[in-house]
Amino acid sequence: MLFGRLSSNPLWLQENAGVSSEEAQRISGDLKSNSRLEQLVFSRWCQVMFRFEKSMYADPDQDLNQLWWDLVEEYQLLTKPEGRNNADWASRYTWRCYPCYYHNYQLGELLASQLQQQSTPGC
């Protein structure tokens, strides 16, 4: 998470990827805006995953397809396709391999944001 952000850091791009200082300065605003958007989208995705899993474990006999799309519509603002009744929630391997873990991704992003803020002058 922390190192993945380097590809959006103008100074890092200049020092390590051969981007000119002019180009780094020119794209810095777009990089910052894109990073903010990525975090907003990711935080909404984490809400879907966390709340779905919590509710699924609380009541595994409920209509999980409906639960999934209710959460997707609420947090991601996406509309369920007309006539769709597939187990879209089951396409996530997270439930099998990393249960009760998705909130940790969000916590990692929050920590990375704090560390980045402290180490980047002028942010």
Side-chain angles (χ1 to χ4, degrees):
M1 293 171 191
L2 185 59
F3 291 120
R5 294 168 178 229
L6 292 176
S7 65
S8 296
N9 181 312
L11 182 58
W12 186 90
L13 290 171
Q14 186 178 338
E15 292 177 353
N16 298 285
V19 173
S20 70
S21 60
E22 295 80 19
E23 180 70 4
Q25 186 174 0
R26 187 184 71 74
I27 64 175
S28 65
D30 289 339
L31 291 172
K32 189 171 186 174
S33 294
N34 188 59
S35 294
R36 285 181 177 172
L37 181 59
E38 283 179 1
Q39 290 305 309
L40 177 62
V41 169
F42 184 71
S43 69
R44 288 180 167 270
W45 174 245
C46 285
Q47 289 294 324
V48 171
M49 296 293 284
F50 171 76
R51 292 175 190 281
F52 178 85
E53 189 171 18
K54 182 178 177 186
S55 185
M56 176 180 66
Y57 292 141
D59 182 8
D61 295 326
Q62 67 183 301
D63 183 348
L64 296 176
N65 293 334
Q66 187 63 49
L67 171 62
W68 177 259
W69 279 103
D70 287 347
L71 293 169
V72 165
E73 288 178 358
E74 180 178 355
Y75 290 100
Q76 291 187 288
L77 308 176
L78 299 173
T79 304
K80 179 180 175 181
E82 188 75 30
R84 182 149 184 102
N85 195 27
N86 295 345
D88 296 315
W89 63 272
S91 67
R92 301 298 308 164
Y93 65 87
T94 308
W95 320 125
R96 295 183 314 276
C97 299
Y98 307 106
C100 301
Y101 195 79
Y102 231 87
H103 61 282
N104 289 325
Y105 292 123
Q106 185 63 56
L107 292 172
E109 290 293 352
L110 290 169
L111 177 60
S113 293
Q114 291 174 331
L115 293 174
Q116 184 180 24
Q117 180 70 26
Q118 288 180 349
S119 68
T120 305
C123 283

